[in-house]
Amino acid sequence: MEINLFRLCSGLKVIGYFMILLVAAIVAVSYYAVVVLTWGPELRTGGLHSFLAISIIVVFHFLLIMLLWCYFMVVFRDPGSVPENWKPRTQEEILEAGSSLTSTEITAPEVFNSTQSTDGQERRPEVGYCSRCQNAKPPRCHHCSVCQRCVLKMDHHCVWVVNCVGATNYKSFLLFLLYTFLETTMDTLVLLPNFINFFSEAKSHSTSPGNLAVVFVTFVLNLAFSLSLLCFVVMHISLLSSNTTSVEVHEKRRATRWKYDLGRMKNFEQVFGTKKALWFFPLLSKEDLDNIPALRGLEFPTVSDSEA
């Protein structure tokens, strides 16, 4: 009997739903340990201790709101799908169509041959074809065996969010990593004194065993997540700075110069946009979406052959 590996891969979605429940459980336990057990009662003490407690609780809630916002944006936002029966247009077709094309059609990767832009960069579609989706594939598009579809500028399939990370939700994913790292690091630091006193309090029975266990487990979980997330944050900062996705790493190593690397600032803007006010929010301005085709995942400028 033949085993369909792609069906097995799609079964990983079930694991993802358990991951969502795990995230909710970790958030709930951390909230109970930090706000309810540890720093909430300090609000009644007054003085400097009370001010410190207010500051910690405010920052805790801000980071929690931001990480949950980013998390749900990654979970529920489509990472970028190839339009049905999508085909790149030739430059002649674009000129003939003229104003009858919508802005989306005009800015899509619509040439088979390289075209040189005024800033010394060329736009090279490198159109492929997916035999499973029976559709053309824009540049940097990959088929996800879990989602069973092609994803624009696919980075990876993340079981933690039951979704692919691609062109349209990569910014939300990066911000989710950042805010979760900051939150777990903060939780670790504010629970450290209680963790140090864990054994003495357990011996003297000054705190209920249940509360001690919650604080102990929360500290260990947040410390483990903080350290692991630090590795992911550093990795994705490196990928972002060179305009590379996780699935393109091996391809980049074989290249003399990575063709999508336009410089750190331009690489950053292809994910976060140009509006500084929105850089730390999982949002993109309409102006950026209209002017930066890479944010939609269909067209990517490359360095010219003379520079490569």
Side-chain angles (χ1 to χ4, degrees):
M1 186 177 75
E2 292 186 0
I3 298 177
N4 190 327
L5 294 178
F6 296 109
R7 289 188 179 275
L8 290 178
C9 289
S10 62
L12 292 175
K13 286 185 177 181
V14 178
I15 299 177
Y17 296 119
F18 286 107
M19 292 299 187
I20 292 179
L21 294 176
L22 180 59
V23 170
I26 293 172
V27 169
V29 170
S30 297
Y31 190 93
Y32 183 73
V34 174
V35 178
V36 178
L37 289 182
T38 307
W39 291 98
E42 299 294 332
L43 295 174
R44 300 190 296 267
T45 60
L48 183 61
H49 228 62
S50 182
F51 175 77
L52 179 61
I54 292 174
S55 302
I56 289 173
I57 291 174
V58 169
V59 175
F60 176 90
H61 280 89
F62 170 76
L63 293 176
L64 179 61
I65 291 170
M66 294 305 297
L67 80 84
L68 289 176
W69 184 10
C70 295
Y71 181 72
F72 287 117
M73 291 293 281
V74 182
V75 172
F76 294 110
R77 176 175 286 177
D78 190 298
S81 301
V82 182
E84 188 176 357
N85 298 321
W86 175 86
K87 289 182 180 179
R89 294 176 181 267
T90 63
Q91 191 171 15
E92 290 76 11
E93 288 175 332
I94 297 174
L95 295 175
E96 289 177 4
S99 59
S100 64
L101 292 176
T102 64
S103 60
T104 302
E105 291 173 320
I106 292 174
T107 54
E110 299 158 346
V111 289
F112 282 105
N113 301 317
S114 301
T115 57
Q116 194 77 18
S117 62
T118 56
D119 59 359
Q121 299 167 1
E122 63 175 8
R123 300 184 183 277
R124 190 180 302 166
E126 299 178 4
V127 177
Y129 182 79
C130 179
S131 59
R132 294 192 287 275
C133 294
Q134 299 292 308
N135 199 11
K137 293 195 330 185
R140 312 183 78 178
C141 177
H142 295 274
H143 186 90
C144 175
S145 299
V146 179
C147 295
Q148 295 291 303
R149 65 185 177 114
C150 287
V151 177
L152 299 177
K153 195 188 175 185
M154 178 179 171
D155 187 86
H156 69 288
H157 183 91
C158 182
V159 295
W160 287 94
V161 300
V162 204
N163 199 4
C164 273
V165 176
T168 61
N169 65 354
Y170 186 49
K171 177 185 179 181
S172 300
F173 176 75
L174 293 180
L175 290 175
F176 167 65
L177 286 183
L178 175 63
Y179 287 123
T180 306
F181 168 71
L182 294 176
E183 177 81 337
T184 53
T185 301
M186 175 186 169
D187 292 352
T188 301
L189 293 175
V190 299
L191 292 175
L192 181 60
N194 297 73
F195 179 78
I196 294 174
N197 297 329
F198 171 78
F199 296 101
S200 61
E201 291 180 357
K203 187 176 181 180
S204 63
H205 303 287
S206 58
T207 308
S208 69
N211 291 344
L212 284 174
V214 168
V215 172
F216 180 86
V217 171
T218 304
F219 175 85
V220 173
L221 280 175
N222 279 277
L223 177 61
F225 272 94
S226 178
L227 294 176
S228 60
L229 283 169
L230 177 60
C231 299
F232 281 104
V233 169
V234 172
M235 181 188 76
H236 280 282
I237 288 176
S238 175
L239 294 174
L240 177 66
S241 65
S242 62
N243 201 352
T244 313
T245 64
S246 297
V247 297
E248 293 173 336
V249 170
H250 295 294
E251 182 184 350
K252 178 177 179 290
R253 288 174 181 171
R254 294 194 300 266
T256 305
R257 176 178 176 182
W258 184 236
K259 57 194 170 189
Y260 298 115
D261 188 356
L262 309 180
R264 291 181 180 177
M265 193 60 203
K266 288 186 178 180
N267 296 341
F268 180 86
E269 289 175 351
Q270 285 192 15
V271 176
F272 284 81
T274 60
K275 301 296 182 182
K276 296 180 180 179
L278 298 179
W279 280 356
F280 294 98
F281 299 93
L283 301 170
L284 291 167
S285 67
K286 186 179 183 302
E287 182 181 351
D288 281 340
L289 288 171
D290 290 338
N291 297 331
I292 307 177
L295 291 174
R296 297 191 301 277
L298 289 170
E299 181 182 306
F300 301 93
T302 64
V303 295
S304 64
D305 287 334
S306 61
E307 296 175 346

